[in-house]
Amino acid sequence: MISVNKIKEECCGCTACEHICPAKAIKMFPDQEGFLYPVIKQEICIDCGLCRKVCPFQSEIDVDDKLDEPLVYAVKHKDYEVRMHSASGGAYTEISNIILNKSGSVYGVKFDDNFKVVHSKATNTDERNKFRGSKYIQSDLGNTFVQVKKDLDSGQKVLFTGTGCQAAGLRKFLKDTKTNTNLLIINDIVCHGVPSPLLWDEYLKFIQMNNKLMSYTFRCKKKGWHGYNIKAEYENGKCIINTSALKVYANLYSSGFTLRPSCYNCKFTNLNRISDITIGDFWGIEKTMPDIDDDTGISLVLVNTSKGKITFDNIKENLEVWESNTQNCLQPNLIRPTKRPEKRDIFWHEYYDNGFKYIAKKYAGYNLKSIAKKNLKAFLKITGLTKLIKK
């Protein structure tokens, strides 16, 4: 029987243990920080040990066709509109297109109607397009692993995209259930860590008030790719970018306080990937290949397996591709996990005692000074005084 009550640093919430349990004794429930953990019904547990065996934090994960080292590429989609609707260079669109064009299933992360972040299935481009763009919240996987297995068993091609730990959990679940994975492509992302869904819910209440949110973008490229520009559109037609209130969640995420405990102990923040293909932003491209950086996004693509290489070779037609190497693509979370902040426990105690607005002010820059400064800049711009002051 698996147990994470005392060692939350070793549970990533991937759901593999829940779905492999033959007695259906495991269900995922949120803890006080909003992260899902397995809870076991002791009275029906048969102590078969499958949950321990399948856990990606407690088992080694074999990848049969892994390359000796990843092939590294900088990638830019040739279609400008695709790049502008993608978090980085649009590589994901082509990776998923190759599956959709063969009537396959694509599993990725989207906002549902209430802006909860969930894994979902797409069988056409309209559904797939909801997966494009970053969502900095731990997704709810639901029954995704079971659905992927069902599709593979029926002979469908499948693409699964998720964090490294989710990809590892899926690979281990499919292996332990003796599922044929020849038609599966696993695509993981370069991950900084997954923040709390509870604080995301609190933030949504904080920014909506009496005005319903209609769309939300973590990486709006209106002001370029290199900055993290937050954009929100509301039911009344109002559209805002990078206000003090809007930046609160991104600032909390950057602080590291809101990440799942296992993220500070991650086994997958290195170049030894368990996926076929890894994608992310190619940070530092302006130093290594400045001529190709037009500030609309460059994808980093790591090809990790023979299957991944075949896939990538088949999608190059609509991409601009430049070879790189592991030294030029290295970023912190391809070397080590995010460091656990020393005051993380204090942060959470202050949230429990004082509420979301308190931590927004103390830890995320939401204060009268920042609001006044933002309003002053807007006033100067509207009145034309900005140009006068510059002169």
Side-chain angles (χ1 to χ4, degrees):
M1 176 178 63
I2 198 167
S3 175
V4 294
N5 291 331
K6 295 182 180 180
I7 317 176
K8 289 188 174 181
E9 290 80 4
E10 295 186 2
C11 175
C12 61
C14 74
T15 75
C17 60
E18 175 188 20
H19 296 308
I20 206 167
C21 178
K24 306 299 180 187
I26 301 175
K27 296 294 180 185
M28 306 295 290
F29 289 98
D31 71 346
Q32 61 180 353
E33 293 181 357
F35 296 110
L36 294 175
Y37 289 93
V39 176
I40 300 95
K41 289 185 178 180
Q42 307 288 356
E43 64 273 17
I44 62 174
C45 173
I46 60 175
D47 202 21
C48 63
L50 290 177
C51 54
R52 287 192 297 271
K53 182 184 175 185
V54 80
C55 176
F57 267 69
Q58 298 188 35
S59 310
E60 292 299 320
I61 300 166
D62 297 323
V63 182
D64 295 334
D65 62 339
K66 184 186 285 290
L67 302 178
D68 291 337
E69 60 180 52
L71 305 176
V72 183
Y73 300 98
V75 172
K76 183 194 297 185
H77 202 286
K78 293 178 181 178
D79 189 323
Y80 172 81
E81 289 301 320
V82 170
R83 295 203 305 278
M84 293 305 289
H85 286 90
S86 304
S88 48
Y92 171 74
T93 295
E94 284 308 301
I95 295 170
S96 52
N97 277 346
I98 198 172
I99 300 299
L100 293 177
N101 291 340
K102 295 179 180 179
S103 301
S105 301
V106 172
Y107 289 86
V109 176
K110 71 174 186 177
F111 291 124
D112 70 7
D113 292 340
N114 297 312
F115 290 93
K116 181 180 179 180
V117 176
V118 297
H119 256 83
S120 185
K121 175 179 175 177
T123 55
N124 59 59
T125 55
D126 287 340
E127 293 172 345
R128 185 279 316 278
N129 288 347
K130 296 177 182 178
F131 302 159
R132 298 194 300 195
S134 300
K135 288 98 178 170
Y136 298 114
I137 309 98
Q138 181 161 37
S139 65
D140 187 338
L141 279 159
N143 292 320
T144 295
F145 285 11
V146 175
Q147 292 173 331
V148 168
K149 174 177 169 54
K150 183 178 178 181
D151 287 347
L152 291 172
D153 287 342
S154 68
Q156 271 192 304
K157 290 184 177 293
V158 176
L159 171 70
F160 173 86
T161 300
T163 60
C165 58
Q166 291 174 334
L170 175 64
R171 190 179 284 280
K172 195 70 172 68
F173 169 76
L174 294 173
K175 181 177 181 180
D176 288 3
T177 55
K178 297 179 172 56
T179 305
N180 188 327
T181 58
N182 288 340
L183 297 177
L184 173 68
I185 298 170
I186 296 180
N187 171 50
D188 74 335
I189 60 172
V190 180
C191 180
H192 174 77
V194 289
S196 163
L198 170 63
L199 293 185
W200 172 249
D201 289 342
E202 289 272 44
Y203 168 76
L204 289 176
K205 297 172 188 175
F206 177 71
I207 63 170
Q208 288 188 87
M209 303 299 184
N210 297 319
N211 197 356
K212 185 180 178 182
L213 189 66
M214 299 303 291
S215 74
Y216 188 94
T217 307
F218 275 104
R219 304 282 299 280
C220 173
K221 292 183 178 177
K222 186 177 181 179
K223 296 185 178 181
W225 167 57
H226 287 273
Y228 283 79
N229 298 301
I230 315 298
K231 176 183 175 182
E233 296 180 86
Y234 291 89
E235 191 174 40
N236 66 357
K238 186 177 181 181
C239 176
I240 57 177
I241 299 178
N242 286 349
T243 64
S244 179
L246 211 57
K247 293 284 282 186
V248 162
Y249 183 84
N251 290 340
L252 290 176
Y253 169 57
S254 298
S255 73
F257 290 118
T258 67
L259 302 186
R260 187 180 182 101
S262 61
C263 295
Y264 311 119
N265 184 42
C266 183
K267 294 173 60 176
F268 311 105
T269 46
N270 51 58
L271 289 172
N272 183 28
R273 314 303 293 186
I274 45 71
S275 61
D276 298 298
I277 297 174
T278 301
I279 58 174
D281 293 283
F282 204 129
W283 298 130
I285 197 71
E286 69 279 0
K287 297 177 182 177
T288 59
M289 287 185 266
D291 293 343
I292 72 171
D293 181 17
D294 62 359
D295 208 21
T296 63
I298 304 289
S299 293
L300 167 65
V301 175
L302 304 178
V303 176
N304 308 307
T305 66
S306 299
K307 186 192 295 183
K309 185 177 186 305
I310 292 170
T311 302
F312 188 69
D313 287 343
N314 286 332
I315 65 173
K316 290 181 178 179
E317 181 180 354
N318 294 319
L319 303 173
E320 295 182 73
V321 178
W322 297 266
E323 291 186 12
S324 186
N325 57 67
T326 54
Q327 289 303 310
N328 287 342
C329 79
L330 282 183
Q331 37 192 285
N333 292 109
L334 284 174
I335 303 172
R336 66 183 75 86
T338 298
K339 185 178 180 182
R340 190 184 196 277
E342 292 181 4
K343 296 183 178 179
R344 185 183 188 278
D345 291 341
I346 294 174
F347 168 87
W348 279 99
H349 284 307
E350 290 183 335
Y351 162 69
Y352 298 136
D353 292 342
N354 304 295
F356 185 82
K357 187 172 285 189
Y358 178 88
I359 62 169
K361 292 178 179 178
K362 182 171 181 178
Y363 295 98
Y366 182 71
N367 53 56
L368 291 175
K369 182 178 179 181
S370 64
I371 295 170
K373 185 177 180 181
K374 191 81 175 180
N375 289 340
L376 177 60
K377 285 184 177 179
F379 172 77
L380 293 175
K381 186 174 182 180
I382 291 171
T383 58
L385 290 175
T386 302
K387 293 181 179 179
L388 182 62
I389 291 170
K390 286 181 178 179
K391 288 181 180 180

